[in-house]
């Protein structure tokens, strides 16, 4: 597929600076630009690349003013990164879509399959499962009994969805993620630990994306709920009976303990840990490797363990590095104080 600068500008409502007839057929990072590629510039750290890039077209923010000649055709937009996302979505939608059911797929007679569904080889659709229209189920996916999957949802290879779980429309589940495994529930006894049956389910609402090898556990009773628009990165653990509010995003290697409630529009950086049975408010931002042991107010920005204001955490980190020297100074002052006391007593 090939598009001109004029076509692209019309689609993303941009202003062309340069040749409106310039054409592109691929995407490239601005530092790796090649002729025929479209790139973008949104981070000021990469500004110097715009003067040397070989890309034919570059998306820039409207306030960008070059300090040197630029050979590429520029398209000025309100937000270059968002405009790139729109173009990538358009590109993805125009890729050939897989359809049809492979003869090597295993589909129970009582399963219900919608229109224009793709089911790849060695996928397993168990009894009573329902697959919505235009769903795409890649090889080696397992859809458990009585699972319901909405329309336009994509399950990549080796996704496993346990029995009775609910997946909404327009969801994306990446390779190896597990939805609906048992929550970590055990009761101590004299002989060890007795398993507590996990009889609940998992509900993923519409437009949820789950990263590779991420696990969302089923509830002990009721449901673990991931609300609409949530995006979870790879290698995240969501425990039983957790509820994550709409449009919250979590980077990789995070963990949320059982029955925690996460608000809407939150942003969690990598390796954040959330204690069980607590409530995190709406629009909370949490820095990498932070620990959240208690309830958190809406609108907070936190970092560290226990998580505190980022500026306070930065000041504390500076002091932490000095603690060994401060400890030695304190010991020396204690000795001097003891000597002074002895002299006074004499």
């Amino acid at each position: 597929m090939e598009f001109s600068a004029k076509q692209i500008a019309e689609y993303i409502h941009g202003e062309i600076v340069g040749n409106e007839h310039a054409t592109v057929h691929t995407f490239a990072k601005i530092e790796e630009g090649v002729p025929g590629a479209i790139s973008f510039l949104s981070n000021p750290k990469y500004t110097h690349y715009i003067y040397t890039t070989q890309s034919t077209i570059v998306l820039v923010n409207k306030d960008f003013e070059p300090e040197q000649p630029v050979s590429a055709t520029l398209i000025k937009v309100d937000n270059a990164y968002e405009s790139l996302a729109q173009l990538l979505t358009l590109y993805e939608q125009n890729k050939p879509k897989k359809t049809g059911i492979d003869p090597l797929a295993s589909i129970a007679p009582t399963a219900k399959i919608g229109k224009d569904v793709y089911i790849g080889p060695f996928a397993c659709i168990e009894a009573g499962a329902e697959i919505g229209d235009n769903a795409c189920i890649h090889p080696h996916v397992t859809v458990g009994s009585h699972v319901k999957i909405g329309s336009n949802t994509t399950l990549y290879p080796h996704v496993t969805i346990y029995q009775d779980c609910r997946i909404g429309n327009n969801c994306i589940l990446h390779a190896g993620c597990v939805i609906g495994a048992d929550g970590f529930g055990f009761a101590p006894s004299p002989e060890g630990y007795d398993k507590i049956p996990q009889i609940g389910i998992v509900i993923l609402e519409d437009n949820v994306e789950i990263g590779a090898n991420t696990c969302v556990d089923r509830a002990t009773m009721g449901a673990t709920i991931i609300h609409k628009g949530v995006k979870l990165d790879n290698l995240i653990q969501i425990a039983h009976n957790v509820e994550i509010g709409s449009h919250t995003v979590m980077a990789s290697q995070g963990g949320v303990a059982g029955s925690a409630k996460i608000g809407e529009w939150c942003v969690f950086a990598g390796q954040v840990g959330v204690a069980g049975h607590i409530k995190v408010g709406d629009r909370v931002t949490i820095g990498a490797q932070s620990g959240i042991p208690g309830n958190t107010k809406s609108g907070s920005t936190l970092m560290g363990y226990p998580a505190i204001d980022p500026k306070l955490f930065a000041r504390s980190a500076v002091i932490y590095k000095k603690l060994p020297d401060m400890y030695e100074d304190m010991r020396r002052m204690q000795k001097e104080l003891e000597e002074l006391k002895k002299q006074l007593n004499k």
Side-chain angles (χ1 to χ4, degrees), residues 1-9 16-26 34-38 54-58 71-75:
M1 293 178 288
E2 190 171 81
F3 298 94
S4 69
K6 183 178 180 181
Q7 290 173 312
I8 293 170
I16 299 172
V17 179
N19 180 13
E20 69 174 15
H21 301 295
T23 59
V24 294
H25 60 271
T26 189
V34 295
I38 182 170
Q54 297 298 305
S55 290
T56 302
I57 298 174
V58 179
S71 60
T73 293
L74 304 182
I75 300 180

Side-chain angles (χ1 to χ4, degrees), residues 176-233:
C177 78
V178 178
I179 308 299
D182 280 359
F184 193 66
F186 299 90
S189 70
E191 290 77 30
Y193 292 90
D194 296 331
K195 183 176 179 62
I196 299 172
Q198 307 290 293
I199 62 173
I201 63 172
V202 172
I203 298 173
L204 305 187
E205 294 185 346
D206 296 346
N207 301 302
V208 168
E209 184 161 351
I210 306 293
N213 294 320
T214 284
C215 298
V216 182
D217 289 350
R218 69 195 309 110
T220 306
M221 292 178 283
T224 302
I225 305 175
I226 312 298
H227 286 286
K228 64 180 181 181
V230 168
K231 314 298 182 187
L232 302 182
D233 199 357

Side-chain angles (χ1 to χ4, degrees), residues 50-51 58 76 120 180 254 308:
I50 200 167
Y51 305 113
V58 179
K76 291 189 171 185
I308 55 177

Side-chain angles (χ1 to χ4, degrees), residues 40-42 59-61 75 77-85:
F40 78 105
L41 173 64
S42 64
L59 305 178
V60 297
N61 294 332
I75 300 180
V77 291
D78 290 330
N79 187 311
Y81 191 70
E82 288 182 3
S83 295
L84 176 76

